[in-house]
Amino acid sequence: RITISEGSCPERITTITGSTAAVFHAVSMIAFKLDECGSLIGKAGTKIKEIRETTGAQVQVAGDLLPNSTERAVTVS
């Protein structure tokens, strides 16, 4: 389970819980995607689709931008 704190600033706290292997896998995938091109969504949602297919996780991206930001909230479960 991954939760991202609420807030209007671009930096928020991300909490990942689960088995050690699951947490490691989630952190590794997120870090790899961010390192790859600095975003999680990707062109036409390809990165999110890959995460969904690879892990079976549900990934939801908010339709509205966060206040004072060009970013959107993402929920992964």
Side-chain angles (χ1 to χ4, degrees):
R1 167 166 260 175
I2 299 174
T3 57
I4 301 172
S5 67
E6 303 272 334
S8 61
C9 64
E11 294 83 20
R12 291 176 305 282
I13 297 170
T14 302
T15 305
I16 303 172
T17 57
S19 68
T20 303
V23 169
F24 177 77
H25 187 64
V27 170
S28 296
M29 288 184 69
I30 291 168
F32 177 77
K33 292 300 177 189
L34 291 174
D35 186 50
E36 195 173 68
C37 72
S39 69
L40 183 63
I41 295 174
K43 187 174 183 176
T46 56
K47 291 184 188 340
I48 286 182
K49 182 178 178 183
E50 180 184 342
I51 291 171
R52 285 177 178 149
E53 291 173 353
T54 303
T55 65
Q58 294 179 6
V59 182
Q60 298 173 325
V61 180
D64 297 330
L65 296 175
L66 293 167
N68 304 316
S69 177
T70 59
E71 298 180 1
R72 300 175 192 271
V74 177
T75 303
V76 181
S77 56

